[in-house]
């Protein structure tokens, strides 16, 4: 409780002081430690309390863990609205000068950095009441710091209270028809946790986890801006800021439902077949999303938008299903005796996905964006470019880095008939996810029963 809630508080301090290092240390390191410490104990405790319903107990616990966004997203939106304040607006026409790719204007007798926000830029924001024009950089408040601090206090109190109430059953505790539950039953075929890194099955299963989790985490991390950037220009009456927030909730429901539904499916058809469905299904979904985006843009099709949302929810349900079924799959392969410790080691692959997945996804998107900007600039009159941005095309890299030149701003001076590339900036990222999951599918297909030499000898 102290670690997880403290991570939010430290992140709030980092946001307030504009220190990205504190944000990473708080939300990433300290919060991540708290997350790891709090993940498995409730599962083990509930299994001991409900030995006759172990699957349901663990499934509901993991489902609760994965459904946090259902509470977090609306709570964060309410708090952000409460604590935020609008930036200082200077007007739609202001005399500016450009220095090192940044815009400056005279305000109150001194030069301050400003930024111009057009209609396309404002459409990506959830903040209401902003007008197209120039704003003072650093003015206003997103409310993020106070929101993180408030959530941090709330999580600390809730988790601390739960930890004080959560108790293991007394050794004499029994359920009707079930024997003692002080020690969970174990199979005779168990791989000691010290040998896990030596098993090819462990690494194959981990590889599959990394790629599927990376895809799901990437989609979650960009869900709201992706919806606004890709579809708001084509279907502005449908894809509003509230619709983008609803899309996040849809993904959370998919994650929640997948953890229960896929667990039931795996009990019927087995864990290997279910995981084959995860890999092959995810490949098909991520590879098809760019085509569906193209259909939405070209045909202004609400039906295609619905297909995009539906397939995204399906992909996230498989992402949730992986986490829900993984402990059972591990017990099938490596035995039940050390499943807690073994699962903890397996989650190292999950941490890798959390670090590499979203960052790689956004990096590929940034490469696509830079390529799109370069292509647009090649179609624009150099004189018009200089008049718009106050610098020659030779300073393009500096202007891009300073966010002075964006795709949206270039589209204001491009010749008629040039298509806005914004909706297609995520295509490479989606194709890359599909390719990576293909590697995971091959790795999973190679899993075979564990060599008996690795099993502990029964004394």
């Amino acid at each position: 409780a102290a670690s997880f809630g403290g991570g939010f508080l430290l992140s709030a301090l980092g946001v307030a002081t504009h220190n990205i290092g504190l944000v990473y240390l708080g939300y990433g390191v300290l919060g991540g430690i708290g997350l790891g410490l709090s993940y498995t104990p409730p599962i083990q405790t509930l299994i001991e309390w409900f030995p006759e319903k172990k699957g349901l107990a663990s499934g509901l616990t993991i489902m609760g863990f994965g459904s946090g966004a259902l509470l977090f997203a609306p709570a964060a939106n309410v708090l952000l609205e409460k604590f935020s304040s609008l930036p200082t607006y200077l007007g739609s026409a202001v005399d500016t000068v450009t220095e090192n790719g940044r815009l400056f204007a005279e305000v109150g007798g001194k030069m301050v950095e400003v930024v111009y926000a057009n209609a396309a830029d404002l459409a990506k924001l959830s903040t209401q009441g902003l007008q197209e024009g120039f704003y003072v950089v650093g003015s206003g408040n997103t409310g993020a710091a106070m929101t993180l601090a408030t959530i941090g206090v709330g999580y600390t109190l809730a988790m601390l209270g739960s930890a004080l109430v959560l108790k293991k059953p007394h050794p004499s505790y029994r359920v009707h028809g079930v024997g003692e539950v002080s020690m969970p039953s174990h199979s005779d075929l168990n791989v000691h946790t010290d040998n896990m890194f030596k098993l090819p099955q462990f690494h194959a299963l981990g590889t599959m986890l990394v790629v599927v989790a990376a895809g799901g985490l990437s989609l979650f991390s960009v869900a709201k801006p992706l919806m606004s950037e890709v579809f708001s220009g084509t279907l502005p009456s449908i894809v509003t800021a509230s619709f983008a927030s609803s899309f996040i909730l849809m993904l959370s429901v998919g994650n929640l439902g997948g953890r229960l539904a896929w667990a039931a499916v795996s009990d019927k058809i087995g864990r290997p077949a279910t995981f084959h469905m995860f890999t092959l299904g995810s490949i098909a979904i991520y590879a098809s999303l760019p085509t569906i985006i193209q259909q939405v843009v070209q045909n202004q099709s609400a039906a295609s938008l619905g297909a995009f949302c539906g397939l995204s929810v399906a992909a996230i349900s498989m992402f949730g299903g992986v986490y829900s079924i993984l402990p059972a799959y591990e017990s099938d392969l490596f035995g039940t005796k050390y499943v807690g410790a073994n699962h903890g080691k397996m989650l190292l692959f999950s941490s890798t996905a959390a670090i590499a997945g979203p960052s790689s996804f956004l990096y590929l998107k940034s490469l696509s964006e830079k390529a799109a900007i370069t292509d647009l600039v090649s179609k624009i009159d150099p004189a018009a470019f200089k008049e718009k941005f106050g610098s020659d095309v030779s300073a393009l890299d500096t202007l891009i880095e300073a966010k002075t030149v964006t795709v949206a701003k270039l589209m204001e001076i491009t010749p008629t008939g040039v298509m806005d590339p914004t909706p297609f900036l995520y295509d490479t990222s989606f194709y890359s996810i599909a390719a990576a999951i293909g590697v995971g599918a091959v790795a999973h297909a190679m899993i075979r029963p564990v060599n008996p030499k690795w099993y502990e000898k029964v004394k």
Side-chain angles (χ1 to χ4, degrees):
S3 179
F4 190 69
F8 275 89
L9 295 173
L10 187 58
S11 296
L13 178 62
V15 172
T17 59
H18 301 284
N19 187 328
I20 189 64
L22 287 180
V23 175
Y24 287 149
L25 180 61
Y27 192 77
V29 178
L30 189 59
I33 291 173
L35 195 66
L37 291 175
S38 63
Y39 185 77
T40 55
I43 299 174
Q44 183 65 40
T45 302
L46 286 175
I47 286 176
E48 293 185 9
W49 274 108
F50 304 99
E52 81 285 12
K53 297 180 180 178
K54 292 180 180 180
L56 181 61
S58 62
L60 287 173
T61 307
I62 295 174
M63 181 188 71
F65 176 85
S67 62
L70 290 173
L71 173 65
F72 180 86
N77 287 335
V78 170
L79 292 172
L80 285 171
E81 184 176 353
K82 179 178 178 60
F83 294 126
S84 65
S85 60
L86 298 179
T88 302
Y89 178 66
L90 300 179
S92 59
V94 176
D95 292 330
T96 62
V97 296
T98 303
E99 295 182 9
N100 297 323
R102 298 185 295 172
L103 294 176
F104 292 86
E106 185 175 350
V107 178
K110 61 180 182 179
M111 301 300 290
V112 298
E113 185 178 356
V114 299
V115 62
Y116 181 81
N118 59 20
D121 296 324
L122 298 178
K124 301 174 185 177
L125 305 176
S126 59
T127 305
Q128 302 297 320
L130 296 176
Q131 305 178 56
E132 186 172 357
F134 291 90
Y135 291 87
V136 176
V137 173
S139 62
N141 193 326
T142 62
M146 284 300 298
T147 297
L148 287 170
T150 303
I151 291 175
V153 172
Y155 272 142
T156 300
L157 294 177
M159 294 175 69
L160 185 60
S162 299
L164 294 175
V165 172
L166 197 64
K167 304 290 184 182
K168 284 192 172 187
H170 190 272
S172 63
Y173 173 75
R174 286 176 174 80
V175 177
H176 180 69
V178 181
E180 293 187 15
V181 296
S182 57
M183 283 292 291
S185 60
H186 300 306
S187 68
D188 292 332
L189 302 177
N190 298 288
V191 179
H192 194 278
T193 188
D194 290 344
N195 293 322
M196 291 306 296
F197 289 118
K198 302 175 184 178
L199 300 179
Q201 293 88 346
F202 176 80
H203 294 285
L205 195 59
T207 299
M208 185 271 184
L209 171 62
V210 165
V211 293
V212 175
L217 292 169
S218 297
L219 187 54
F220 254 129
S221 69
V222 301
K224 191 169 185 177
L226 180 149
M227 185 58 61
S228 299
E229 293 171 11
V230 173
F231 300 116
S232 62
T234 304
L235 300 170
S237 62
I238 298 176
V239 184
T240 60
S242 61
F243 182 90
S245 297
S246 298
F247 179 59
I248 296 177
L249 292 179
M250 290 168 59
L251 296 180
S252 298
V253 170
N255 184 21
L256 180 70
R259 294 183 183 232
L260 279 182
W262 286 115
V265 170
S266 74
D267 287 335
K268 296 292 184 180
I269 67 174
R271 253 69 71 177
T274 305
F275 271 54
H276 283 314
M277 293 176 65
F278 290 160
T279 53
L280 298 179
S282 295
I283 292 171
I285 289 173
Y286 286 115
S288 67
L289 291 182
T291 300
I292 295 175
I293 291 173
Q294 187 176 25
Q295 291 176 349
V296 175
V297 174
Q298 290 181 347
N299 305 323
Q300 297 184 345
S301 171
S304 296
L305 174 62
F308 179 90
C309 295
L311 288 175
S312 298
V313 171
I316 292 300
S317 79
M318 296 178 187
F319 160 79
V322 166
Y323 280 97
S324 179
I325 302 170
L326 193 60
Y329 202 170
E330 293 165 14
S331 66
D332 292 344
L333 288 171
F334 313 122
T336 58
K337 185 176 180 180
Y338 303 105
V339 68
N342 292 343
H343 187 59
K345 291 185 176 181
M346 183 63 70
L347 290 180
L348 292 173
F349 291 99
S350 178
S351 300
T352 301
I355 295 171
S359 60
S360 299
F361 189 90
L362 291 174
Y363 174 72
L364 291 172
K365 188 253 185 178
S366 69
L367 293 181
S368 297
E369 185 175 15
K370 188 172 183 179
I373 288 175
T374 303
D375 181 62
L376 287 176
V377 169
S378 68
K379 301 173 182 178
I380 295 173
D381 183 357
F385 182 93
K386 185 171 184 180
E387 181 180 356
K388 175 72 175 178
F389 301 107
S391 297
D392 294 325
V393 175
S394 58
L396 181 61
D397 289 341
T398 303
L399 295 171
I400 292 174
E401 185 176 353
K403 303 296 183 183
T404 301
V405 170
T406 63
V407 171
K409 293 172 184 176
L410 286 174
M411 288 303 299
E412 296 176 356
I413 57 174
T414 53
T416 304
V418 175
M419 180 177 287
D420 185 354
T422 301
F424 312 109
L425 297 181
Y426 291 94
D427 287 6
T428 301
S429 298
F430 283 130
Y431 286 133
S432 297
I433 289 177
I437 296 178
V439 175
V442 173
H444 179 255
M446 297 174 65
I447 293 179
R448 298 292 183 270
V450 174
N451 190 318
K453 73 176 183 179
W454 294 110
Y455 291 131
E456 270 190 332
K457 293 182 180 180
V458 179
K459 298 180 180 179

